[in-house]
Amino acid sequence: MVRWGARRAGGPGRRRLDSLGGLRLLSVGSHGMGVVHDLRGRTVTAALSLRGQGFALLGPDEQDRRVAAWSSVLATLAREGSPIRRVQWLASSFPDQGFGVRDHLSARAIADPASACVASYEALLSDVDADACAHDVVLAVQVKVTKSVDVSGAVLQRELASLTRLLADAEIEVEGVLGTDDFVARLLRTYEAFPAPRHGPSALVDAWPMAMEEEWARVRVDGLLHATFWIAEWPRTDVRSDFLAPLLLGSTRAAFSVVMQPLGPEKAVRKVEASRTADLADAELRRRSGFMSTARHSRQSEVLARRESELADGHASFRYSGFLTISAATESELVAASDTVQHAASQARLVIRPLYGDQATSYTCTLPLARGLAGR
């Protein structure tokens, strides 16, 4: 079915989709921070653009150290009384016809452009242009709208400034806060194969797609087909810090999203104590009924006990969920890309499941909107 929503402001005859209805893209503050205001959910969301620093090339010990630093950043978001409702990291890959690597060469080249080494490198780039892929990582932060959008926007701006300092200490390079044009560019990439540059005030009008046709296992949004999967199971065994590399470093047009809700220490302790009580009661009921306790039950009990111990040691707690959207221009390309990505997911020891019958809403979970968790 084709899903439509409310009329676009400032766009005669143009309509917005139900799954993206109630969203406004605003410019907040003197520096023009881009903010997505969700009128239905009463939230505002902004995002930071991040740049990797050769993580995949580092040794295991250095990778572990940087992951521990990232964990410390997350721990500060789960402090008691934090205004942050959700945080989302989103890693996207998309074809760029070699523009990214060529821009990098022109900016970083030291040798003379007429030299043999530069000519050789140019020849190599010409061979890989068709398969060249750019990667983009953003960190979205969301807060509830309390008194007004302006007040909540100021809170969001303060939290992003603090988060930028923490990320710098963790050796994660922050390119900057996304402005409205940056948000538009990232949205356009998800439903136009090769979006034309948009400039000026009209960019805000054209931020959202025109139509969405939803099927059982895929959804077409303007010019691209999408299939969204849920990360049903994360690795059950110990893995290295770079276990997601097969997914994140692939050349398929895809978006990998993890959305997290920080839990304050008191709420986290209450939840884990309730889970431990329910687990003990369930074990006693199985014993009285003569049912055998399986290895799976024993492992779940061990995990709960470890979580309780970690909270007692001061570690932070989060609710989280992961999503993966694969995109292509045609159905055959989408099937081929889905096969490739599902193979990469198995290499990463993830179990992914297609979100059948809910593709239109699920697609929005891999946009920088911090969506994907139930509850307010």
Side-chain angles (χ1 to χ4, degrees), residues 3-4 6 10 16 44 57 109 120 138 167 175 179 217 237 301 374:
R3 303 174 59 154
W4 300 95
R16 202 176 342 176
V44 287
L57 303 177
S120 176
V138 300
L167 290 170
E175 293 187 312
T237 57
S301 298

Side-chain angles (χ1 to χ4, degrees), residues 256-275:
F256 189 98
S257 169
V258 177
V259 59
M260 300 170 281
Q261 177 187 345
L263 302 176
E266 293 182 4
K267 185 175 182 179
V269 168
R270 288 197 302 270
K271 287 179 68 68
V272 75
E273 287 179 348
S275 298

Side-chain angles (χ1 to χ4, degrees), residues 50-71:
L50 308 181
R51 179 180 290 276
Q53 298 184 24
F55 182 85
L57 303 177
L58 301 175
D61 292 341
E62 180 61 16
Q63 287 181 345
D64 291 344
R65 187 187 69 79
R66 295 201 179 188
V67 169
W70 164 242
S71 300

